[in-house]
Amino acid sequence: MRNIHLLLNLLLIVFTLNKYSLVHAKEALAELWDVEDSELLNLLAIEEKLTAADKTLQLLLENYDSSFGGTYLDVKNRTVYVNTVDFSVVPIIINSSELIHSGYLKFIKFIPAPAKNLMATLTFWFNNIVELIKKLRPVNILAYIDIKLNNVVIYYNLKDEINKRFFKSARKFMPTLLQTNSPINRHSRCNETEISQLQILGVRMIKRRILNGEVIFNEIDRMCSVGFWSKNNKNEDLNYIVTAGHCCVDRSQLFYHLPWNYRRSQDSTQVGEMIESINNFKYEFCLVNITEDVYLPTVIRNTDSEDYRELIIEGGKNITSYSNHLCKSGHITHVTCGYVKELKAVSVHPSGQINMGLIIASKEFFETVCLGDSGGPAFSYLQDLSTASLNAITIIVWYDLSIFLPLHIILSKGGVELVRSH
Ligand SMILES: *[C@@H]1O[C@H](CO)[C@@H](O)[C@H](O)[C@H]1NC(C)=O
Ligand SMILES: *[C@@H]1O[C@H](CO)[C@@H](O)[C@H](O)[C@H]1NC(C)=O
Ligand SMILES: *[C@@H]1O[C@H](CO)[C@@H](O)[C@H](O)[C@H]1NC(C)=O
Ligand SMILES: *[C@@H]1O[C@H](CO)[C@@H](O)[C@H](O)[C@H]1NC(C)=O
Ligand SMILES: *[C@@H]1O[C@H](CO)[C@@H](O)[C@H](O)[C@H]1NC(C)=O
């Protein structure tokens, strides 16, 4: 009898746990930070303080470029870490009135720089490597400064024989080489490319509502995600959907929309036509001229969240600190978040196309982006869980590294501005 009671209790626990995990899907940001949803507001407030402290600190450190590497945040440790090469100037920094009066000092921790490299040296090496990339045209690589590691990193694929000359020349800048087939990349969450054979039978619906992160596709290419709504900065009647450059290939392609929960291609509706531009390749973004009567609220789709299914975009912003959170919405993996790892990476596509000034974000050992998420918005939460500022769009995946094109490049090179629907 006692045993049966125990068994029943166990069953009850199993049942309750199961039910709990079904009902209680954590916010993507809570998953990144590995905390409960209830702690998020507090941590967002801490992150904002740390970002402000880091900005002040970065300005101070500019005068001491022969003493420090980079700086980065750790929200859960409530700390801005400073990679320090020469500790003799630390008392001078600590004594600066900007840090004392702002109360930022208590968040700042000077730690020995792992590779003893100064930020000025890293920047010099990185710039030289970029010059080599332009000259020797390697393919299929990703180069960036890893602030935590305190060195320049080149991610590459061993199979690309054509890169030999480049690597021989790059060696003198002592980059850390990471192979794309290293063990950390084995656990792929992404399914094979979802190239859809959708027949386009779209009925024209009245005022289709299109959320950022939903599906946009054309007749011949894979499906991508809707980035955001923009308008020509000289003619506000010209409205565009921004998506990734490789989502637009042929001249004047027609584009269609699907929600996330579509069942058939009949659910699609035509939205517009791509605008031909050399910037599609040069900068990896594309503008789709909205020609149909659709409604695009400035809202990011976040259906998997219990309480915040639609995130309101409150404007655009540059990211300024390493290890800040960066989330993205896309039709394959929906909303996921990573830590900002780099703000000016250079990627070279297998075709040889070079893209510069890219943001890298990652969640160690996890892929936060899969192929069809390309084009979707990347954002950071403001001081609550229902509003966000737009930072970038998703453009490429490098195994566990997600690559984003910053908003400021799209706005300046596309001659567009953000549209606000409220
Ligand atoms: C943050 O604190 C944890 C626990 O004390 C420590 O293991 C970790 O290394 C710290 N993070 C950094 C970036 O130092
Ligand atoms: C700290 O700054 C004050 C005034 O700004 C100065 O008088 C003092 O000598 C400084 N102390 C150190 C250790 O640099
Ligand atoms: C990949 O496919 C499996 C099986 O069809 C599905 O359960 C899973 O959710 C898919 N993963 C992603 C990231 O779409
Ligand atoms: C975009 O669409 C509008 C409205 O259909 C049209 O007037 C305009 O010429 C198009 N612009 C471009 C650059 O294709
Ligand atoms: C964002 O960064 C770019 C490049 O560094 C700069 O040109 C632009 O002015 C910045 N925008 C804001 C709002 O700070």
Side-chain angles (χ1 to χ4, degrees):
M1 190 60 199
R2 205 170 152 242
N3 280 349
I4 287 177
H5 189 87
L6 195 70
L7 187 66
L8 280 177
N9 259 337
L10 266 177
L11 280 175
L12 192 66
I13 289 170
V14 169
F15 178 72
T16 317
L17 278 178
N18 247 333
K19 189 157 170 248
Y20 184 78
S21 64
L22 277 179
V23 170
H24 186 86
K26 264 195 198 180
E27 290 292 329
L29 186 57
E31 244 164 62
L32 176 72
W33 283 339
D34 193 20
V35 297
E36 292 305 318
D37 288 356
S38 56
E39 296 171 68
L40 286 176
L41 290 187
N42 184 26
L43 286 175
L44 279 171
I46 290 166
E47 192 189 53
E48 194 189 30
K49 276 229 170 66
L50 296 179
T51 306
D54 186 36
K55 263 190 197 163
T56 307
L57 184 65
Q58 283 180 24
L59 283 176
L60 285 170
L61 298 188
E62 273 176 14
N63 306 320
Y64 299 92
D65 64 354
S66 55
S67 305
F68 300 102
T71 64
Y72 57 92
L73 320 181
D74 189 307
V75 173
K76 283 169 76 183
N77 292 14
R78 294 166 164 65
T79 307
V80 179
Y81 292 97
V82 188
N83 276 333
T84 310
V85 177
D86 170 13
F87 276 87
S88 71
V89 295
V90 170
I92 304 172
I93 305 285
I94 289 178
N95 195 29
S96 72
S97 59
E98 293 96 318
L99 292 183
I100 294 170
H101 295 141
S102 56
Y104 292 152
L105 203 52
K106 62 174 178 291
F107 299 121
I108 296 169
K109 194 167 171 189
F110 296 86
I111 56 171
K116 302 260 173 288
N117 295 325
L118 298 170
M119 202 57 222
T121 314
L122 293 176
T123 306
F124 175 75
W125 287 345
F126 181 71
N127 290 342
N128 273 281
I129 286 172
V130 174
E131 286 312 309
L132 285 177
I133 289 174
K134 288 181 185 161
K135 202 169 106 198
L136 301 175
R137 313 299 295 197
V139 295
N140 210 11
I141 61 164
L142 179 69
Y144 59 96
I145 297 173
D146 188 311
I147 294 292
K148 278 194 187 175
L149 201 62
N150 193 223
N151 203 13
V152 177
V153 171
I154 303 178
Y155 232 118
Y156 72 106
N157 191 325
L158 200 57
K159 286 181 291 191
D160 298 316
E161 287 278 323
I162 190 175
N163 292 348
K164 274 199 174 132
R165 248 182 87 212
F166 165 73
F167 277 110
K168 205 165 160 227
S169 306
R171 208 185 293 152
K172 58 177 169 294
F173 305 114
M174 292 179 285
T176 300
L177 300 181
L178 291 180
Q179 267 179 49
T180 51
N181 57 354
S182 66
I184 62 161
N185 296 319
R186 274 198 311 244
H187 312 284
S188 179
R189 228 160 58 86
C190 299
N191 290 331
E192 283 303 302
T193 336
E194 218 187 275
I195 294 189
S196 115
Q197 301 301 325
L198 289 174
Q199 279 183 304
I200 294 152
L201 302 163
V203 279
R204 293 199 176 178
M205 287 170 55
I206 299 162
K207 276 278 186 199
R208 171 77 68 111
R209 188 168 184 262
I210 298 177
L211 302 190
N212 301 334
E214 290 184 332
V215 188
I216 188 168
F217 70 99
N218 56 47
E219 301 102 303
I220 55 166
D221 289 297
R222 72 174 67 97
M223 296 202 273
C224 287
S225 297
V226 173
F228 60 94
W229 181 19
S230 71
K231 64 180 181 208
N232 188 299
N233 57 18
K234 294 200 187 69
N235 177 358
E236 64 173 29
D237 293 332
L238 289 180
N239 282 237
Y240 311 120
I241 289 174
V242 179
T243 187
H246 65 264
C247 304
C248 295
V249 184
D250 266 10
R251 48 182 43 225
S252 306
Q253 264 169 348
L254 293 180
F255 275 85
Y256 303 83
H257 164 262
L258 280 170
W260 278 354
N261 53 345
Y262 67 92
R263 258 167 286 143
R264 314 176 309 280
S265 55
Q266 280 96 321
D267 290 341
S268 68
T269 191
Q270 187 176 322
V271 290
E273 199 176 336
M274 79 174 258
I275 291 186
E276 282 177 67
S277 160
I278 58 161
N279 288 350
N280 293 357
F281 299 104
K282 200 163 170 207
Y283 299 103
E284 248 299 69
F285 72 87
C286 170
L287 304 177
V288 175
N289 190 17
I290 303 173
T291 54
E292 307 303 311
D293 191 18
V294 293
Y295 176 56
L296 266 144
T298 49
V299 158
I300 295 167
R301 186 156 184 175
N302 186 26
T303 308
D304 304 342
S305 162
E306 197 110 326
D307 301 319
Y308 309 99
R309 294 164 163 264
E310 296 190 356
L311 308 172
I312 298 159
I313 299 174
E314 290 285 0
K317 201 164 76 178
N318 281 345
I319 298 169
T320 53
S321 287
Y322 297 99
S323 299
N324 244 322
H325 81 274
L326 181 67
C327 304
K328 73 100 204 36
S329 178
H331 82 90
I332 305 285
T333 56
H334 298 180
V335 172
T336 54
C337 304
Y339 295 108
V340 172
K341 206 178 172 71
E342 163 65 321
L343 297 170
K344 43 185 186 307
V346 172
S347 98
V348 190
H349 195 258
S351 71
Q353 177 195 329
I354 301 171
N355 292 114
M356 315 228 276
L358 307 176
I359 299 170
I360 301 178
S362 74
K363 182 179 173 190
E364 234 111 342
F365 312 120
F366 283 95
E367 280 159 329
T368 57
V369 163
C370 299
L371 227 47
D373 293 325
S374 286
F379 61 92
S380 43
Y381 283 96
L382 293 167
Q383 291 306 297
D384 59 61
L385 295 170
S386 59
T387 57
S389 61
L390 190 67
N391 305 116
I393 61 167
T394 303
I395 55 164
I396 333 166
V397 194
W398 265 83
Y399 301 86
D400 57 332
L401 303 184
S402 310
I403 319 290
F404 305 92
L405 180 68
L407 179 67
H408 70 83
I409 294 185
I410 300 170
L411 299 185
S412 64
K413 304 299 176 190
V416 293
E417 51 195 66
L418 279 180
V419 176
R420 273 150 237 245
S421 64
H422 56 101

